[in-house]
Amino acid sequence: MNWYQLGIKEVFNKLNASENGFSDKQARERLLQFGHNKLAVEEGISKLKIFFHQFTSPLIYILLVAGIATLLLKEYIDSSVIFAVVILNAIIGYFQEYKAEESVRALKKMVVPKAKVLREGKEKEINSEELVPGDIVLLSSGVRVPADLRLFKTLELKIDEAILTGESIPVEKITHALAEPNLTPGDQKNIAFMGTIVVSGRAKGIVVETGKKTLLGNIAREVKEVGIVKAPLQEKIYNFAKSIGFIVLGASFLLFFIGLFVGESAKDMFMTAVAAAVATIPEGLPIVVTIAMAVGVAKMARQNAIIRKLHAVETLGSTTVIGSDKTGTLTKNEMTVKLIFDGKHIYEVEGSGYEPKGNIFYEGIPIDVKESKNLISVLRIGLLCNESNLYEEDSQFKIDGDPTEGALIVSAIKAGLNLEEEKEKYEQIAIIPFESERGYMATLHKHRGKKIIFVKGSPEKILNMCKSYPDGDEINKKEILKIASEFAKEGLRVLAFAYRNAPHELEELTCKETECHDINSGLIFAGLQGMIDPPRPEAIEAIEECKKAGIRVVMITGDHSITAMAIAKKIGIASKDEEVLSGKEIEEMDDSQLFEKVKTVSVYARVSPQHKLRITRKLKEHGEIVAVTGDGVNDAPALKAAHIGIAMGKTGTDVAKEASDMVLADDNFASIFHAVREGRIVFDNIRKVTFFLIPTGVAAILSILGTITFGLPIPYVPAQLLWINLVTNGLQDVALAFEPGEKNVLRKPTRDPKEGIMNRLLIERTVIVGLLISAGVVYNFVNAINAGDSLQKARTVAVTTMVFFQFFQAWNSRSELQSIFKIHPMSNPFLFYSMIAAFLAQLSVIYVPAFQWVFRTEPITINEWTQILIVSSTVIFAVEIDKLLRRKRSVKKAEELWNMNF
């Protein structure tokens, strides 16, 4: 039901109610009919169910099998490590998922416990849950609205709807019906919505919706329906693990049957196949993914981005579209006067925000304001016809009151006016507060024995009350409205200012309804001031960097289309001829039309919570990885539906924060961009670890298959395979999680969302490296046997060759394209020292008698060491050649692209 379109009588008739309210009996009957005024209670979260959900990944299945297999092999250390990884991942995942399910509960905090109602004409306080449609509710300053109300009596009522619309300026409420269809909640000015706060004034309203049928109730339902959104990384790990699982199991079975075919015993081949499977499974990957993301979390926190859900770190790096609020995120949320017209000239005002510093310019030249009497007059009226205050707190200037009035105080101080001195000179003796139906505010002042009225309001209203300029000439309304229109086209909010001398006997300003006879005509026009919530300079820079990084930024705001487009052009989101899509237009579109529109539209204005959710879903349907910002209750469904929900730390509601994946401590768009950079580094590092682990695992199986095929003994015993897997892999893979970002990390195009952890480049290189390592191991193993060494010594040579191949492969993994000879060894000290530790561990296995017995090794000679180093270092040169060829190819592609475009 569009209650805002109905007249008061029609609303009362439809609800079968009266202005005196119901009797207690009628209210009880209605309560049975409509139910309690409370949000839908979400079924309790099963902690046990969430915990067991952590064991449903294919990689975890493989790890559990590997753990059991190592227990069968009596390799208790290895099995302990594997089970520790499984349990640690389960614990971390459990806490992430449990937190994610808390968002609906935060909505309950928005529901007020008590409400003042009329029952049989008498005022009564009741529990807000007992409110029913048709109840008459009384609102006063400071009260939270207890249900959706259609207002029928108001007295200077202003309501803060920031939690629903995201806009910080309180809304002046009205009572008459609004004929326009499909209005967004922000434009339904005769409705007071559940959960919003009365800033000033009083009102009576009739309850039209309660509980889950209210706007807040609909949002709670949508948050619940959205459910858990799987992060791209979670899906990639799932698919990757599934593929690895099939490959490892297939290779292990093949290894087992080939061994049987060539005459090996079933028991030996079973143990070898299981050990090879364990060596090939990248069981270190889940813990390294967790560590890499935890490192990213710490770095992001230093950039004012607080990560609530660990997977958000990587998802940020894959982001292709950022849907951002305007107010406070892209702008400073501090209204600032930028242009002033004094009846003759237009002046520019320097500075932004509430800090009262900046010059006033005329045609680009600073002026002495004291020489311009008319300009002083405009600024003085703005300063004194005002109910707000400017104050300083923690070295920051803030406004107590309306942001628009705050901007007028700041512009006057910039011109050299002193608030306290002006108040003394022009003592205020009466006031008519601003009301939207009246369209202006007026104050009466005493000055040097005379009385003067100051007025401010909308240009159209003020001009209708004016007769002349200060010099007595008749005003040119058409010219002034044209200037006001030019200001508005630049996204400025325009106020007009006027004054007149008042009779000496006048002591108060009297009004009948919207007419005030003392000021209805005969005013002298003083001028115009145009103000805007200015863009953050760092947001402009961040948006430019986003474009270079291949990330599209769209603005989704509750503000008006003209203002939204003006800011979008200034900060580089929209081009000159780009269209704005309004909430009203979205309302009239079906899903297929909106699906087409989101491909090209970058600015959405006057949007409702449902619109924001629809936009987010349609972007996702295009295969985009979507990050959405928000601070109000209205944003919760979209925040939860997006791959990354980003809530505001300063202005955000609890509901928005609970539904989000990340909270911006400084509410600044630039912090999102810094977080995107860290997210890209995290994903790069996960890829580096994967490229380090997979080829060496592949080489282990290939080298065993190779020796069996040629009728040779297996080059490793199971314990040696587990040693390679546990000690060498176990140290370097974790160290690679700490790799610093590469210089061009933000110049790379955004990844194809469908691309897995292993891209084509890494798959091709994995094949090259896997074949080379297995060939190198088999070559050294065969050489040792041919030289007359014992099988135990030949296996020691094979194991050591594999270990050193892994050392060099760890260095190769540090960059996909950059030469390792250009990367400083100490840029990742963890890797450097982990390799020293692994090298010392390998020496102990070769030369310490106790370890020789456990791992069946023998000491090796200098000549054998030399051969091992020469053979294993070939992997560096192979990968360097591959990197060089790919760099040349990418330069050639870049040149072709440049020639095509220019």
Side-chain angles (χ1 to χ4, degrees), residues 55-63 237-243 245:
F55 297 94
T56 55
S57 156
L59 196 57
I60 298 300
Y61 298 151
I62 297 168
L63 288 175
I237 290 282
Y238 183 88
N239 294 331
F240 181 66
K242 211 157 62 173
S243 306

Side-chain angles (χ1 to χ4, degrees), residues 63-83 274-275 277-279 283 718 722 725:
L63 288 175
L64 290 170
V65 170
I68 293 162
T70 49
L71 275 177
L72 292 174
L73 291 166
K74 297 183 180 178
E75 294 296 333
Y76 301 117
I77 295 171
D78 208 59
S79 58
S80 302
V81 170
I82 293 167
F83 287 124
V274 169
V278 173
E283 73 267 25
L722 297 173
N725 185 50

Side-chain angles (χ1 to χ4, degrees), residues 690-700 758 765-766 769-770 773 809:
T690 308
F691 177 56
F692 166 65
L693 291 174
I694 299 302
T696 51
V698 168
M758 294 282 279
R765 201 172 281 169
T766 295
V769 171
I773 293 176
Q809 172 60 3

Side-chain angles (χ1 to χ4, degrees), residues 17-124:
S18 76
E19 283 195 39
N20 288 327
F22 297 127
S23 67
D24 287 341
K25 186 187 173 190
Q26 287 173 310
R28 279 195 299 273
E29 286 169 0
R30 290 213 167 198
L31 194 60
L32 289 171
Q33 183 187 345
F34 293 101
H36 282 87
N37 177 38
K38 59 183 180 180
L39 303 184
V41 179
E42 195 183 45
E43 58 189 67
I45 301 167
S46 165
K47 294 179 181 179
L48 204 60
K49 192 176 171 185
I50 290 175
F51 183 73
F52 284 117
H53 183 253
Q54 308 312 312
F55 297 94
T56 55
S57 156
L59 196 57
I60 298 300
Y61 298 151
I62 297 168
L63 288 175
L64 290 170
V65 170
I68 293 162
T70 49
L71 275 177
L72 292 174
L73 291 166
K74 297 183 180 178
E75 294 296 333
Y76 301 117
I77 295 171
D78 208 59
S79 58
S80 302
V81 170
I82 293 167
F83 287 124
V85 167
V86 172
I87 292 162
L88 184 62
N89 272 280
I91 290 167
I92 291 167
Y94 168 80
F95 283 112
Q96 287 170 22
E97 201 169 315
Y98 185 74
K99 276 184 185 176
E101 288 306 293
E102 289 288 290
S103 52
V104 173
R105 285 156 179 72
L107 283 159
K108 292 177 186 173
K109 295 175 188 173
M110 309 308 303
V111 182
V112 289
K114 296 285 181 185
K116 277 187 182 176
V117 297
L118 287 180
R119 289 277 160 92
E120 296 177 321
K122 292 177 183 174
E123 195 176 305
K124 187 177 182 182

